[in-house]
Amino acid sequence: MDALGNAASAARRARTMLLLVWTLLNAVSGLKADDGGMVEELVTEKEAEESHRQDSVNLLTFISLLTLTILTIWLFKHRRVRFLHETGLAMIYGLLVGVILRYGIPATSYHNKTPPSCSLKEGPSSTLLLNISGKFFEYTLKGEINFREIHNVEQNDMLRKVTFDPEVFFNILLPPIIFHAGYSLKKRHFFRNLGSIITYAFLGTAISCFVIGNLMYGVVKLMRAVGQLTEKFYYTDCLFFGAIISATDPVTVLAIFNELHADGDLYALLFGESVMNDAVAIVLSSSIVAYQPAGANTHMFDASAFFKSVGIFLGIFSGSFVMGAATGVVTALVTKFTKLHCFPLLETALFFLMSWSTFLLAEACGFTGVVAVLFCGITQAHYTSNNLSEESTKRTKQLFEVLHFLAENFIFSYMGLALFTFQKHIFSPIFIIGAFVAIFIGRALNIYPLSFLLNLGRRDKIRGNFQHMMMFAGLRGAMAFALAIRDTATSARQMMFTTTLLIVFFTVWVFGGGTTPMLSWLHIRVGVDPDQDLQPSGDSFQVLQGDGNQDEGQSKTKQESAWLFRLWYTFDHNYLKPILTHSGPPLTSTLPSYCGPLASCLTSPRAYENHEQLRDPDTDLIHNDADLTFTFGDTAITTNGASASRADATGGLGWSTNGKRSGSTSEEALERELDSREQELLSRGTRLVFPMEDHI
């Protein structure tokens, strides 16, 4: 019995010891697991800190590039150096930094073993979920990696991080550039040549797109024949390349024109074409991407798909135009019917946010933000700026000017950087040479035939030296680059991006640097006063009593030749300006009497207080660009922007041929005449007639 009791006691002690050992083992394993978790957390925090430091270095690199560019620009301006523009300078600095990042920093590889292989029936998705020992990890697809670079360039963290998401260019950098183009538009010269600008921008861009696209399709066929191309490269890809490379950006040429005060009409033609054709190019490229014929072969011509693409082009462009103009109108109404002018900081902030949101709103609705923000800028300049306080007017102009300058130089710096840091370049000599030849042929078939057709209807012809300068100034820039980098998924798009980058480099450096010698060689006027340049010869100021003046027939002929513009400006001056701004005649004097309550509600009290209400900011445009007729009963006052003479009923008043009367200018005489007729105008209404000159 004692032996049995001792055995049972020993068994209990052994069992207790086993339980104790088991408890200790569990405790130790738990401690190890906790230590592993702590180590894993420490590693994660260290990686996050290192990533944050790397991001700071990347941003500091770009800020240093911009700072160096600004200082060098100052030096160039101080020394009056014009052979290299600031954008070309930014590209050079970007190239230097790209070389350092590409070859001066050792690559960091995280793959010490051969990557595992697997076969997929379908292409990889944008995200990948992995279950590792019960823990789920999510990975994001970065794109295809060249096998030869898998242990080198692709794993260099610096090179990966300096490659920006293309949406950064579209949503952050492009809006201030495009808005500033519309907001700073010189309306007088622009509207003088509006018909020609629209022709070059719409018809010319379409011609350039199809000429370049067809020529490049021939180049692609040649590359296949000689064995230089094995990947897919369709006709629609060639047209897409023609669309994006047709977006001109003569920023270098225009900056030199502005500095030298070159001919105003030439400046307006180049500036207007570049602004409008950026919008046309982006919509055209979207329409080409949307071209999807029915059937098995989706890259053959199909009439229904073609007309569908044309409809998409018209729908996107018109919708974007309406959205941009509507945002400008809303901003004008808000600034008119509130007292934000008492708080300039709030007024400036609202103006900035409404203008920028136009781009994002259009993109969110499926339209094109570039078109929307361009016409928003034009609308804001035409209406909203009249409601801003003097301080806000200066602030908004300076704010968007600074943003435009920084964004543009940032993009050009990144272009230089991307030549060495972008990891998907495909350099094809045949394609690159063919692209250079194609863009020159496309530009020539755009400028010269259209100029010939436009000169058939223009009184002031587009002279040959102007046409040569426009041909020479067809530089490519930020818009072409942004459109090319937006999609680099296929080898065809990667080849397009590389070629676009080289074309931008060449045109900015060679053509931009040769602008000043070209102006001298083509004998184009410089040092031109834009106000004097707008004044044609002939009679400038005529006051007609009744209808007995002998020049009335000539004036009527000019009015009839521009009836569309006359109707628009009449409607704008009498109705839109009074509704949306504080300028223009009160609506109580222009609307019918039965609209009295509505007119009183919409008319700003400041319109009644403003004794120069007829002289809105477009007065100079109207005075200088065409005939302007104010009608007061039986008396008509007409100006056409140059010298004048007048004979009234008593024959006592007269103006000299240089536009002066007794030491007064024609504008002052017009003001006095308007003041004397103001009360009659308010009671009887006004009829503003604005015929443009015989420009198309």
Side-chain angles (χ1 to χ4, degrees), residues 117-305:
S117 301
C118 64
S119 59
L120 296 175
K121 294 182 179 179
E122 298 179 356
S125 59
S126 59
T127 58
L128 177 66
L129 289 177
L130 291 181
N131 183 355
I132 302 177
S133 301
K135 292 184 178 181
F136 291 88
F137 298 89
E138 181 182 3
Y139 294 86
T140 303
L141 179 67
K142 303 292 290 187
E144 184 181 357
I145 301 173
N146 190 335
F147 182 77
R148 293 172 298 179
E149 306 289 340
I150 194 168
H151 295 293
N152 189 9
V153 178
E154 181 59 26
Q155 302 310 319
N156 191 316
D157 207 31
M158 172 70 81
L159 294 181
R160 285 205 314 269
K161 289 195 172 183
V162 295
T163 304
F164 282 95
D165 187 339
E167 295 304 315
V168 172
F169 293 97
F170 266 81
N171 295 331
I172 297 178
L173 298 178
L174 275 185
I177 295 176
I178 303 300
F179 181 86
H180 179 264
Y183 193 59
S184 62
L185 193 68
K186 295 181 179 180
K187 290 184 289 185
R188 289 180 291 178
H189 285 287
F190 181 82
F191 286 107
R192 239 170 85 112
N193 299 276
L194 181 61
S196 300
I197 289 171
I198 291 176
T199 303
Y200 286 126
F202 282 85
L203 188 57
T205 304
I207 291 173
S208 176
C209 169
F210 284 98
V211 169
I212 294 174
N214 283 280
L215 290 176
M216 293 311 298
Y217 189 63
V219 172
V220 168
K221 290 289 188 182
L222 175 63
M223 293 173 64
R224 290 191 186 281
V226 298
Q228 294 294 317
L229 182 64
T230 58
E231 302 291 338
K232 296 179 180 179
F233 207 122
Y234 299 108
Y235 178 67
T236 51
D237 292 326
C238 296
L239 287 181
F240 179 81
F241 178 72
I244 64 175
I245 208 65
S246 295
T248 60
D249 186 17
V251 57
T252 306
V253 176
L254 294 175
I256 295 175
F257 276 20
N258 194 42
E259 185 177 351
L260 296 177
H261 301 288
D263 188 280
D265 284 330
L266 178 59
Y267 181 94
L269 288 171
L270 277 174
F271 179 80
E273 182 210 4
S274 67
V275 168
M276 295 292 290
N277 92 330
D278 281 352
V280 174
I282 190 171
V283 180
L284 191 59
S285 62
S286 300
S287 303
I288 293 172
V289 171
Y291 176 79
Q292 295 180 346
N297 195 340
T298 59
H299 294 276
M300 296 297 290
F301 178 78
D302 183 82
S304 61

